[in-house]
Amino acid sequence: MASRLEIPLELRARLPQLRLAARRALGVQGFGQHASRSRGAGMEFAQYRPYAPGDEPRQIDWKLFARSDRHYVREAERDSPLTAWLLFDLSASMRQGDAARADWTRLDAACVAGACLAELATRQGDRIGALGIGEAGLRLVPAAQGPRHRDRLLLALQDWQAQGGWPNEAALRPAWARLRAGDLVIAFGDGFDEAMVSLLVKLAAARREVVFVQVLTAEERDFPYRGGQRFVDAETGAELLGDGPSTRDAFLQAFARARAALDARLDAAGIRHAVAWLDRPLDEPLRALFPARASRLAPAPA
Amino acid sequence: MDLALLWPAGLLALAALAVPLLLHLRRATEARRVEFAALRWLSPRQRPRRRLRLREWLLLLLRLLLVALVALLMAGPARVPGGQAPPEVLVAISLHAAAARSALPGLPPDTRWRWLAPGLPLLDGSEDFASATPPALASLLREADARAPVGALLHVVVPPVVDGADGERPRLAHPVRWHVLPAPTPAPESVIATPTLVLQAEPGDSAAIATLRAVAQAWMPAGATEVAPLVVAGLSDALPPTDRWLVRVDDSVASPALEDWVRAGGTALLVPRHASAARATHDADADASVVAWRRADGTALARVRTLGRGRFVLLQHPLEAAAFPELLDAGFPRDLQALLDARDPASTQAPADALRPVAGGPRFPPVPAPLAPWLAVAAAGVLLLERWLATRLRREAGP
């Protein structure tokens, strides 16, 4: 198992090309780089309101006073730090890797991508937390800020194992208390579990900005098997005897249809998503989702 | 030359060929286990094709070869000689090799030329065969007939007078061409070369010495003028070489040294000095010796005791005419020579035509030459190769 604490050097070198930015998520208290509802001394104009006793005189827009002979106070939206959550699928299917690189599983890739985002968040001063959903229920690293918290989070990720299936609804209930409206949720998973997709859709509908990184293996893309294989689903234990070449076309068609259906569903729910292939550099999906030069005011996808 | 199987049922072991084949079959049920989370999009109708596939072709071929070789070994393959065999030429050893070759021109080059000598050696070059004793020619002809390959024509080259005939004309299975060549040298007469006589006696025993000197002179060829070779020595002198005949005129029993000498191939004539001593001395040897010469009334005159490669001839009476009247007989030297000479006195010489073989001899079935040693060597080689292939490194786990 590759160490999830260390971001590969070439990936770390490309981190400046990334920016953890939200389209709908809003900052909370404090000073940061993200738009928030908090009024304060910011660059972004929010509104004029009539002067009320107690306002500071320097907040009065004197040019407007000259035109209208009334005192108005100019208010701006303050830039605030964001709260980002890394949400990991810890079901057994995340244990799968490619035969070509046996110690590089989906969970490893997801954790390294999560480590990149934690590093980004720390540099930007955003709060970041982690949430693992697996057979045992919920595993949580509370959202906080700063390098020490980042290290604590990475250390926690190191211990997480992918095991079993998806928990029931009741086990997920504490997640709703943690993921508050306006937070950014970055989910990592294979997207094969209906329960996880529906959770993401529900979160998106409840005013959380959800971003989904679908981690897929190269074998699922290429189906390079030759000869008879015994395919085993790690979550359900189901087995299927199959012959590589003769099954390939039917599988690739069915899998492409399923991915198209999932993409359409995520798009409809307003969830931005990208695919992280296990044999491709990890920054590809991250750059697609979190480009450094994106407009902060770009409208959220419909 | 044909190949034959001595035990064809051994080929049933070829059924064991199925074992390596089965071992090398990659069974479809032993499919590799693959974790695959996207299982639900796999079509369950696509069963793996149950195509028979074999692993490690080279190893399999070696193992099949090994099993086949062992089965063949069990079946006992043999080479049966047959077909057209080259002719054989058998040359009597008294002839020159060159003369025999020039007398039989036009023979195929693979003709085998053999001497009619024990072991039937091949003629190498044009050397003549050197041998002291004339071989038993008729017996050698039968041996050559039995050893010749089936269908071979036998050429026999003999001089006009051959030595070594026996009681029957050879009856041979092979066709024989009988060639008589003029003898290169006159056949030696059948006079047996008499070994030198060595007489050991006490110096005063002049009667015995004179008698034996007369006997030796009588052995000389007719018309010879020289004196017969007779060496007179004392009783305690050293023993002569074993190709001499030793005569001891002595009453005592044979000493251990004398027995060793006889055992080494010598012939000793023991003559008693006194009649009483003869009985007393030689009765001890009576059980070990046989009577070789007796009078008409049955009285033993001489006994012969064989010891090792040599013989004792024990005269039963002293050499005195009173006790031994046969001494005065004209045939006494010839009788004594026949006693001392161990060789078969029957003549084996015959004209060549008298030995010409007749057809209809016993036909020996050809002896199959087993090929098992070569097959075993080949199987061992294949086994070594197979072991090397099967145990070398960088090989996937398998049969």
Side-chain angles (χ1 to χ4, degrees), chain B residues 81-88 108 110 112 148-153 174:
Chain B
Q84 194 59 42
E88 297 213 351
D110 56 347
R112 267 170 292 181
V150 175
L153 178 64
H174 288 83

Side-chain angles (χ1 to χ4, degrees), chain A residues 14-23 33 120 124 272 286-298:
Chain A
R14 292 186 201 133
L15 277 186
Q17 303 174 20
L18 302 177
R19 182 167 180 277
L20 191 62
R23 294 186 175 172
Q33 299 181 7
L120 270 185
Q124 294 177 192
R272 289 186 292 144
L286 296 182
R287 283 161 78 173
L289 293 172
F290 303 108
R293 299 183 187 283
S295 164
R296 290 176 63 191
L297 297 179

Side-chain angles (χ1 to χ4, degrees), chain B residues 222-257:
Chain B
T225 54
E226 66 265 33
V227 180
L230 177 72
V231 179
V232 180
L235 278 176
S236 54
D237 284 356
L239 293 171
T242 53
D243 58 344
R244 312 280 170 89
W245 286 347
L246 176 70
V247 182
R248 275 178 75 89
V249 184
D250 190 11
D251 280 341
S252 59
V253 293
S255 65

